[in-house]
Each structure stands twice: as structure tokens, then as C-alpha cells.
Amino acid sequence: MRTLISTAFVSLDGKLDPTGGDPGLHDTQWTFKTVEFLPEAYELKGREQEAAGALLLGRRSYQLFAPAWPGMAEFARYKTLPKYVVSTTLEEDDLVDDWGETTILRSLEQVATLKETDGDPLLVHGSATLNRALQEAGLIDRYHLLVFPVLLGAGKSLFSDADITAQRLRLLEHQVYANGIQKQVLDVLR
């Protein structure tokens, strides 16, 4: 069985940084604007990339990442990994040609079936709507969070606001960096 890991840059109030920006928000693309860049604060991202068995993305995140990540040296390993896009509207013709094997999944049931296969972890990057649906369905096994010392108020939340049973978490790793970013690696307890 695969581990499904939600990995995100989040504000202290749980908002995701909209990759590519969001014209509806006055503060957008805030991750690198709000704190001093310290390479050591991002070491988790390198470990994730090496350990990943596949990427799992929502449609919007796929459409933002697919034009950029295939040519970026820092995401070279992701090009070789299978990618799964959860979408009811995306078609095969919408997929990019230069980012390796990509499969469209039409439901959370298909995600659950994918989790049952053998292999290294499935990483979910960005994908606010997908993350909330996965949380509500009890499919997320671990969170890799880089929590930025900023409060945004508006924006897309990583976490569901549905009235669901409390999900207990176990802290596996925690570190605070000089720029105020907190690394939190948490397992979902079942």
C-alpha cells in the first residue's frame, strides 16, 4: 500500500500560496516575498522528490505545473515519475507531451485504488480542492508542511472546513528556521 503525502507551503492560518498567482487576492505568490530565503528551510522538498513514487495533482495545479516543471532542473526527477491528475473535466488532449506518463483519474475511488498498489509514496503538491476532498475521504496519510510566519485571511485553505470527525495527527519531524518557517511532518492517525 502506498503512502499518500500532502505537501504544501502554507501560511500560519492554513492558506496555500497560489502558484502562478491569483488576481482575486491582494497578496499572492507570497512564499518568497514574505521571508528571507534560506536553502536549508527547503531541504524537505529535495527528500520528497527522491522518495516519491508518483505525483497526484488536481486539474488546476496540473495546468499550472505542467508548462513549467518539465524544463526546471530543480524538478528533474518529477519528469520521470508517473503523474495522476484527478479531474472530471480534463481530457487526454489537455495533457502536455514532455512531462512523462500521465493518467487521468475521474474519482476519489480511483485514488483509493491507486493507494492500494505497491510502490513509493504518492505526493500531492498544491491542489487545494483535491487536498480537501482527500482529507474528507480519509485518504491522506501524512502531511509535509512548510508553515510560513504570515497570516493571510483570504485565500484557498489546504484543510477542509467540512464537519468531519477530528483527525488526530502525530508529529514526526519539526524544525524552526531562522527566517520563521516551520517544518512540520505529521502522520494521520487512524
Side-chain angles (χ1 to χ4, degrees):
M1 177 181 238
R2 292 176 177 231
T3 301
L4 196 152
I5 299 171
S6 171
T7 179
F9 295 160
V10 295
S11 64
L12 189 59
D13 53 350
K15 305 300 187 210
L16 289 169
D17 186 15
T19 304
D22 183 339
L25 298 174
H26 67 275
D27 276 322
T28 189
Q29 297 177 312
W30 48 264
T31 51
F32 294 103
K33 294 178 183 177
T34 58
V35 299
E36 173 192 356
F37 178 75
L38 294 177
E40 60 270 23
Y42 302 94
E43 64 80 26
L44 179 63
K45 304 320 266 175
R47 278 195 287 147
E48 288 173 350
Q49 197 171 155
E50 290 308 311
L55 294 181
L56 181 66
L57 301 163
R59 179 191 52 82
R60 287 184 198 106
S61 291
Y62 174 81
Q63 289 175 322
L64 288 169
F65 295 152
W69 280 16
M72 296 176 73
E74 60 266 36
F75 299 117
R77 182 152 186 304
Y78 286 158
K79 192 169 184 169
T80 67
L81 293 179
K83 280 150 285 294
Y84 298 91
V85 184
V86 182
S87 173
T88 58
T89 59
L90 198 69
E91 299 298 332
E92 293 292 326
D93 290 347
D94 298 323
L95 301 176
V96 298
D97 294 330
D98 63 342
W99 205 20
E101 175 190 345
T102 304
T103 303
I104 300 172
L105 303 178
R106 299 293 184 195
S107 68
L108 292 181
E109 290 77 20
Q110 288 182 302
V111 174
T113 300
L114 176 62
K115 274 190 66 174
E116 294 296 325
T117 63
D118 290 331
D120 291 325
L122 300 166
L123 285 185
V124 182
H125 280 279
S127 306
T129 302
L130 176 60
N131 260 290
R132 290 189 299 269
L134 292 168
Q135 178 192 2
E136 290 171 18
L139 293 173
I140 295 175
D141 300 303
R142 180 172 293 158
Y143 289 95
H144 286 185
L145 305 177
L146 291 181
V147 182
F148 284 67
V150 61
L151 297 171
L152 295 173
K156 293 182 180 178
S157 178
L158 173 66
F159 304 107
S160 173
D161 63 358
D163 185 13
I164 58 177
T165 303
Q167 293 181 332
R168 293 181 37 231
L169 306 171
R170 176 184 302 126
L171 185 64
L172 299 177
E173 281 184 57
H174 179 261
Q175 188 165 353
V176 179
Y177 300 94
N179 61 2
I181 292 176
Q182 297 178 45
K183 173 180 64 179
Q184 298 180 13
V185 176
L186 304 127
D187 268 351
V188 177
L189 299 177
R190 303 205 196 301

